[in-house]
Amino acid sequence: MPGDHRPAKSIRVLLAEDQGMMRGALALLLGMEPDIEVVAQVGTGDEIVDAALLHRPDVALLDIELPGISGLEAAAELRDQAPDCRVLILTTFGRPGYLRRAMEAGAAGFLVKDGPVEELAAAIRKVLTGETVVDPALAAAALGAGPNPLTARERDVLKASVDGATVADIAGRLHLSESTVRNYLSSAIGKTATRNRMEAMREARRQGWL
């Protein structure tokens, strides 16, 4: 929409999405809204905070699974470094554990990507006024799923197992003893009701606990 048709103050949006085509399409569609302006686009989690501090968006629209830090980790950093910026999580993966972690990180909203752009634009406007916007089906699933049973250290050792690392490798990365790593892995396997650490890692990811 031509600039002279925009209101005097548009809602400034930062868009973080690693798929270039999706990012461009979202920016184009949101830019057609008369009161929304996409002021920054980034493709990695590590760029989010710097872009927010530079461009001062009103709302940061973040994917979860990004190169570098995740959108959830970036949301927590934005809460501390750019508290005036409202965070709206937009993801392909509507996992209950992700919703809980997003809320804990200070996000004001959580939507899945299969909704219409009009719904997304409405959510951006709502979070800017102080409302919390959550996909209804996901909210119901999160209530039924219960809290994340894994401790921070258990999550750390499972994440370190992703590339098939040995117990010794994990111990070295996390500065723990091998026996401590084994204890954390054993506990995580039990809590996820799986047979080994790779199954535990996959189940934890499926639930959105990692």
Side-chain angles (χ1 to χ4, degrees), residues 14-18 23 41-52 61-78:
L14 180 154
L15 179 58
E17 163 63 55
D18 64 325
R23 185 171 66 247
Q41 301 179 46
V42 299
T44 71
D46 297 335
E47 300 174 276
I48 291 172
V49 172
D50 286 345
L61 187 60
L62 310 181
D63 194 4
I64 291 179
E65 297 193 355
L66 296 166
I69 66 171
S70 72
L72 297 176
E73 292 170 306
E77 291 190 13
L78 286 174

Side-chain angles (χ1 to χ4, degrees), residues 9 48 55 57 64 69 87 96 105 120 123 137-138 144 163 170 172 194 197:
K9 179 169 172 49
I48 291 172
H55 296 281
I64 291 179
I69 66 171
V87 172
L120 176 58
L138 186 58
D163 59 0
I170 298 169
T194 53
R197 59 184 166 128

Side-chain angles (χ1 to χ4, degrees), residues 12-14 16 48-49 52 57-64 66 70-90 99 101-111 120 123-124 126-134:
R12 296 169 60 81
V13 173
L14 180 154
I48 291 172
V49 172
D58 301 305
V59 177
L61 187 60
L62 310 181
D63 194 4
I64 291 179
L66 296 166
S70 72
L72 297 176
E73 292 170 306
E77 291 190 13
L78 286 174
R79 178 185 56 196
D80 296 333
Q81 299 191 44
D84 292 335
C85 178
R86 303 281 283 172
V87 172
L88 181 58
I89 299 293
L90 182 66
L99 173 57
R101 290 169 59 198
M103 297 299 105
E104 289 169 359
F110 193 111
L111 296 174
L120 176 58
I124 289 171
K126 286 178 181 177
V127 299
L128 192 60
T129 65
E131 291 187 51
T132 299
V133 181
V134 177

Side-chain angles (χ1 to χ4, degrees), residues 192-206:
T192 54
T194 53
R195 296 173 297 180
N196 56 56
R197 59 184 166 128
M198 297 310 293
E199 287 187 5
M201 182 270 293
R202 287 193 291 268
E203 177 63 14
R205 279 192 173 277
R206 188 183 71 82

